[in-house]
Amino acid sequence: MDYFLTEEQVMIRDLARQIAEEKIVPQREELDEKEEFPWDIMKVLAQSDMFGLFIPEEYGGLGKGCLELAIAVEELSRACLGVSTTYAANALGTYPLLLYGSEEQKKKYLPDIAAGKKLVAFGLTEANAGSDAAGIQTTAKLEGNEYVLNGTKQWITNGGEAEIYTIIAMTDKSKGARGASAFIVEKGTPGFSFGKKEKKMGIRASTTRELIFENCRIPKENIIGREGMGFIVAMKTLDNSRVGVGAQGVGVAQGAFDEAVKFARQRVQFGHPIISFQAIQHMLADMATQIEAARALVYSVARYIDSGAKDISKASAMAKLFATDMAMKVTVDAVQVMGGSGYMREYPVEKMMRDAKILQIYEGTNQIQRNVIGQALIKEAAKKK
Ligand code: COS
């Protein structure tokens, strides 16, 4: 399929693919086994300007958009979802600053992020606030010229590795979602520490930790936007980044599909390569069709976001929902095509299937995506009346 990418977009895709094939594929099994953070790969991505893709040129980035980011994420995900999660979560953590940061904040933080010198993490989730994002308990109290943060964030991607954290905390609990605010917290701030590193089913190259705030004092200027805007900052951030999770789905599914085709051409049963059997061909045909449909949706939604469209929640949720449900199905089917071999760690599809599961869960479960889409449909229907 031709998605009419510009010359520049093709260059980004080819560069990301080259990094994926040369640097990620040879290491992915070991990174998964040892649950190691891929610092050397992050350095290569930094040297290749990959961290600056979606950051405006005035802050040291390349000034590209969601589509270019999605293309890069897809290619990295094709090789290893753990590595691509580290990279994509950096964008997730940066969106609050990009969308709502002040000029001073952007000038202070974005150039280092664009250069890949500092990684970012996004801190919304807590033990009792997952799908119910408005239920967060972490507080931020204004005392003089400082906010004092108290509480614990859970399952934070890049936690401990990142230097910059965009954190959602309650400045006025009595106001519910309207009492949340967003803040920048730097690693090393007294009162800010990290909990245990989680042991996960998949995406093991990516680090997941607790963030602990105990009377952590940050300058008043570190608020992003105004008090009470935190929930909107979080929701708009997710609206922008969920299409990237969709791109991860397309990438991991493509990676698993490629492995399944390669295997089916080589594996001989009943005197023939199994790819000659209709049962296998039909599975591969369905997989290829589903991947292409998801890619078409992800690219279209990314272009729609880049067009400056305001109402992107529904489209972004659709891209995330469709592409990640597809990724789960396609990776499971890739294991099935490869049979016993697919189940063995010797082949990468076993890891791809484990990795794919998180896509249906993080950045809002796929049940939450259906809620977001449902709510948008209700609003649209009410407008038509
Ligand atoms: N853009 C702008 N505003 C939005 C918005 C969006 N995408 N989504 C909600 N809002 C606004 C609403 O309009 C509402 O404003 P008012 O108070 O002025 O009416 C406010 O925010 C509260 O919205 P709502 O009542 O819909 O909030 P809920 O508590 O019902 O939660 C969901 C909404 C479930 C969609 C939200 O909590 C969510 O996305 N949860 C999943 C969180 C998630 O992705 N977690 C993963 C963490 S990051 S890995």
Side-chain angles (χ1 to χ4, degrees), residues 125 130-131 133 178 231-232 235-236 238-239 242 313 363-364:
T125 304
S131 293
R178 290 180 182 198
F231 194 73
I232 302 294
M235 291 300 115
K236 288 281 180 204
L238 290 164
D239 284 349
R242 279 174 179 156
S313 307
E363 293 198 33

Side-chain angles (χ1 to χ4, degrees), residues 153-166:
K153 295 288 171 185
Q154 196 184 42
W155 300 331
I156 304 304
T157 304
N158 293 347
E161 315 293 341
E163 296 288 327
I164 302 164
Y165 294 79
T166 45

Side-chain angles (χ1 to χ4, degrees), residues 92 100 122-125 129-135 155 157 177-178 231-236 238-239 242 310-313 361-365 368-369 371-372 375 379:
L92 173 72
Y100 294 98
F122 179 60
L124 170 65
T125 304
S131 293
D132 180 10
W155 300 331
T157 304
R178 290 180 182 198
F231 194 73
I232 302 294
V233 172
M235 291 300 115
K236 288 281 180 204
L238 290 164
D239 284 349
R242 279 174 179 156
K310 289 220 163 53
D311 218 354
I312 57 171
S313 307
I361 299 170
Y362 68 19
E363 293 198 33
T365 63
I368 287 291
Q369 307 310 314
N371 285 1
V372 170
Q375 288 300 317
K379 270 192 206 159

Side-chain angles (χ1 to χ4, degrees), residues 98 100 131-132 135 152 173 198 229 242 255 302 307 318 322 354:
L98 260 188
Y100 294 98
S131 293
D132 180 10
T152 301
K173 272 191 181 173
E198 301 290 349
M229 271 179 69
R242 279 174 179 156
S307 75
M318 283 176 164
F322 187 79
R354 278 190 285 114

